[in-house]
Amino acid sequence: MKRIDAYLSSLGYCSRSEAKKFLKMNEVCINENRVFNTSLKANHKDITVNGEKLDDEKLLILLHKPNGYICSHNDAGKLIYSLLPQRWQNRNPKISTIGRLDIDTTGAILLTDDGELNHKLSSPKNSISKIYEATLENPLSSDIIDIFLSGEIILKGEEKPLKAAKLDILNQNLARLEIVEGKYHQVKRMFAYVGNKVLKLHRVSFDNFKIDDLKEGEYKLIPIKRI
């Protein structure tokens, strides 16, 4: 059990100093009984705000990242977090992306305020699958398939070779690539390694989570119990 104001502040409804005012302006109930005392303690499942259950204590969000958005809390420009409801942006601890996508890369990205889950899904030890579609400047040759699959590529500035990656050539300038790592600019650097340049990059899926039903900028909640 936690205090009402602790729940409201950690879940982004208001700050602790604003809690009394929030209770006056909103119908906060414990077991359907409206309350005005911010120091009352209750279980998360027993609290409602304006007839709605409290947001989950931990969130996992699948978002279709548009071009031009930055995976950062602090940089100038359009931040990916601005696509989320303001209440989620106010949560403590903060919601963060699981890994990052470049500003010009679109597609599937997961966000969470669960630090343990973030570590689990971003750790290279767990070999989480990420599938990308890349549009290339130059025509693709079939020998690249074996090069990427070899597990022998050592990118500039790296000491260890990349893990084997599966490449499917969709047409002469379009490829689908599955990797199980998340090194800095990895996909772009892999194609640069074979003398090509990525003109457009889109992540189709992260682990088993696909964005087929999401338009750019849209998101949906994923039950953490599924992970």
Side-chain angles (χ1 to χ4, degrees):
M1 298 178 72
K2 287 168 47 175
R3 287 172 53 124
I4 295 291
D5 55 1
Y7 277 121
L8 295 176
S9 61
S10 65
L11 301 181
Y13 289 86
C14 62
S15 67
R16 292 191 84 149
S17 62
E18 296 168 336
K20 287 184 178 180
K21 182 178 179 181
F22 185 88
L23 264 61
K24 290 179 181 179
M25 298 181 65
N26 297 273
E27 189 176 280
V28 179
C29 296
I30 299 175
N31 293 320
E32 301 183 358
N33 297 308
R34 187 171 183 181
V35 297
F36 295 93
N37 184 349
T38 60
S39 66
L40 290 175
K41 291 185 176 182
N43 292 310
H44 178 276
K45 65 181 179 62
D46 296 329
I47 304 171
T48 58
V49 176
N50 298 326
E52 301 286 339
K53 291 183 178 180
L54 286 181
D55 293 337
D56 290 344
E57 293 189 83
K58 299 292 184 182
L59 296 182
L60 178 63
I61 304 155
L62 174 64
L63 185 144
H64 185 163
K65 178 189 172 297
N67 185 17
Y69 282 80
I70 304 167
C71 296
S72 170
H73 285 289
N74 303 315
D75 290 333
K78 295 188 290 186
L79 306 185
I80 192 171
Y81 304 100
S82 67
L83 298 169
L84 303 177
Q86 186 62 52
R87 186 164 78 229
W88 294 0
Q89 296 179 53
N90 296 338
R91 288 171 72 101
N92 183 24
K94 288 183 177 181
I95 290 174
S96 297
T97 59
I98 299 176
R100 292 190 173 198
L101 292 178
D102 296 339
I103 187 172
D104 58 349
T105 300
T106 61
I109 190 163
L110 292 172
L111 306 94
T112 187
D113 54 354
D114 186 330
E116 184 177 343
L117 179 62
N118 196 322
H119 176 73
K120 176 183 176 182
L121 292 177
S122 59
S123 173
K125 295 180 181 179
N126 293 325
S127 296
I128 301 295
S129 168
K130 278 85 71 175
I131 298 177
Y132 295 82
E133 287 186 354
T135 302
L136 287 307
E137 184 176 61
N138 303 315
L140 293 152
S141 58
S142 58
D143 61 327
I144 298 175
I145 295 174
D146 290 333
I147 294 173
F148 282 6
L149 196 59
S150 70
E152 298 176 356
I153 295 176
I154 300 179
L155 298 176
K156 185 177 181 180
E158 303 285 345
E159 295 181 356
K160 295 182 179 180
L162 297 176
K163 294 181 180 180
K166 182 182 178 182
L167 179 73
D168 293 313
I169 297 176
L170 304 180
N171 64 46
Q172 66 175 3
N173 292 91
L174 181 64
R176 178 168 288 200
L177 178 66
E178 180 178 6
I179 63 175
V180 292
E181 298 167 288
K183 295 184 182 296
Y184 180 69
H185 290 170
Q186 181 173 338
V187 175
K188 294 177 180 177
R189 292 164 71 198
M190 288 176 70
F191 282 106
Y193 178 89
V194 293
N196 215 327
K197 181 180 180 181
V198 175
L199 300 179
K200 185 178 179 182
L201 190 60
H202 176 77
R203 186 153 72 187
V204 177
S205 63
F206 186 111
D207 198 15
N208 295 317
F209 303 108
K210 301 179 180 180
I211 53 167
D212 299 341
D213 57 340
L214 295 176
K215 297 178 182 178
E216 285 196 3
E218 290 185 342
Y219 58 84
K220 63 182 178 182
L221 285 173
I222 304 293
I224 290 182
K225 63 183 178 181
R226 286 180 52 186
I227 308 302

